[in-house]
Amino acid sequence: MATLGIPQNTIAVLQKYNFTFQKKYGQNFLIDPHVLEKIVAAAEITPEDLVLEIGPGIGTMTQYLCEHAREVVAVEIDRNLIPILEDTLSAYDNVTILREDILKVDLTQIAKERNGGRPVKVVANLPYYITTPIIMELLESHVPVESITVMVQKEVADRMQAGPGTKDYGALSLAVQYHARPEVVAKVPPNCFLPRPTVGSAVIRLTRHVQPPVRVEDEAFLFDLIRASFNQRRKTLANGLNNSPKILLSREEIQAGIEELGLPVTVRGEALTLEQFAQLSDCFFHMMKKRGR
Ligand code: SAM
């Protein structure tokens, strides 16, 4: 039975193993059964699923996942947690613990070997210091992933689901929304963790699109363009792009492309929708091709 969500039980395990938290690994363990149940419900785990958990800690959420999924693979970087996990998860025969850095694990291989190549569900209370690299790796690489249900810093969740014209809208919003549909499912205060983080948290579910909502000639160029558009937020889009080494066009050509879309030359990057970035990307792509650049 999943018992570690109760604070006294977590404290007892930490004391038994004389565990010291490592700040560098972003260790804030969940100690609230309601939040744990909410995460597991939002992830919609079924007995057919292979779940990948990133950073199981002492196994608090892993216990819940083991009770709902067919199989759980939990990847933990901190070697001091491995004997603890072996103890707290000893009642479950459907879990594998890997002592690895999540950014170095071949997740495609895991999906192939353990799930016949079918998409896996990712569930985690993420270490906040590497939230964006983890999410982008899961979305951009060709790892088969159906959904990602994760605890992140609240500001990061806001940025992922922000729309045009808002202060939170930027390259992360567009990258996430190109690959998935984001939905914040819970806001979580610091007192639900041990130790308490200094920031607010939120659980966000990203449901991967079967097809991206826009089609472009060159996906990598679309993201070069998006990054360049937000690099200098206070500049107009034309000025920002003119300074980018990736956009091999003159200021006049950039302005012509922006006007071709029916936008004013003074427009800022944060006003454009994903569809407009896609149109601009194809427009610039063809201009550059025509000029042999
Ligand atoms: N899942 C546990 C919970 O909710 O109580 C712990 C969550 S804690 C916020 C993040 C966990 O990720 C820690 O156990 C930490 O050691 C682990 N971690 C940090 N960096 C990691 C990495 N690069 N690869 C795998 N695990 C990592």
Side-chain angles (χ1 to χ4, degrees), residues 54-209:
I54 300 162
I58 61 165
T60 310
M61 190 149 66
T62 328
Q63 292 186 334
Y64 286 79
L65 297 173
C66 288
E67 288 179 8
H68 288 80
R70 187 194 83 236
E71 193 182 338
V72 179
V73 174
V75 181
E76 174 56 60
I77 199 168
D78 185 355
R79 66 177 71 249
N80 294 332
L81 286 167
I82 306 302
I84 305 183
L85 287 164
E86 279 162 5
D87 178 1
T88 60
L89 301 174
S90 60
Y92 303 98
D93 60 5
N94 58 344
V95 60
T96 307
I97 303 155
L98 302 178
R99 217 289 304 166
E100 294 274 5
D101 177 345
I102 187 65
L103 294 174
K104 296 190 179 144
V105 177
D106 185 347
L107 298 175
T108 305
Q109 189 63 20
I110 291 178
K112 199 167 148 194
E113 279 173 10
R114 297 171 184 265
N115 213 31
R118 289 188 309 282
V120 305
K121 289 180 180 167
V122 177
V123 185
N125 168 18
L126 285 179
Y128 292 173
Y129 75 106
I130 44 167
T131 299
T132 308
I134 292 175
I135 302 267
M136 292 324 297
E137 174 64 20
L138 290 169
L139 292 175
E140 283 178 349
S141 66
H142 295 281
V143 180
V145 170
E146 184 178 328
S147 62
I148 303 170
T149 307
V150 281
M151 180 83 72
V152 296
Q153 195 176 325
K154 185 182 167 296
E155 283 71 25
V156 177
D158 291 342
R159 280 163 48 207
M160 287 190 208
Q161 64 161 14
T166 61
K167 72 168 176 30
D168 293 324
Y169 187 59
L172 181 66
S173 330
L174 285 153
V176 165
Q177 292 166 31
Y178 178 81
H179 293 285
R181 179 170 51 81
E183 185 190 352
V184 171
V185 291
K187 300 217 172 110
V188 184
N191 63 4
C192 296
F193 301 86
L194 186 74
R196 293 181 183 193
T198 50
V199 291
S201 302
V203 178
I204 192 163
R205 178 185 157 123
L206 309 177
T207 311
R208 212 188 159 89
H209 296 309

Side-chain angles (χ1 to χ4, degrees), residues 14-76:
L14 297 175
Q15 283 175 346
K16 177 175 169 191
Y17 287 91
N18 205 6
F19 179 78
T20 4
F21 288 99
Q22 299 227 48
K23 218 173 163 186
K24 68 170 179 185
Y25 288 146
Q27 291 176 341
N28 299 95
F29 298 166
L30 265 167
I31 46 162
D32 187 315
H34 299 296
V35 175
L36 287 152
E37 278 156 22
K38 222 167 189 169
I39 296 172
V40 173
E44 294 178 352
I45 298 161
T46 72
E48 282 81 52
D49 287 328
L50 172 68
V51 174
L52 168 72
E53 187 189 9
I54 300 162
I58 61 165
T60 310
M61 190 149 66
T62 328
Q63 292 186 334
Y64 286 79
L65 297 173
C66 288
E67 288 179 8
H68 288 80
R70 187 194 83 236
E71 193 182 338
V72 179
V73 174
V75 181
E76 174 56 60

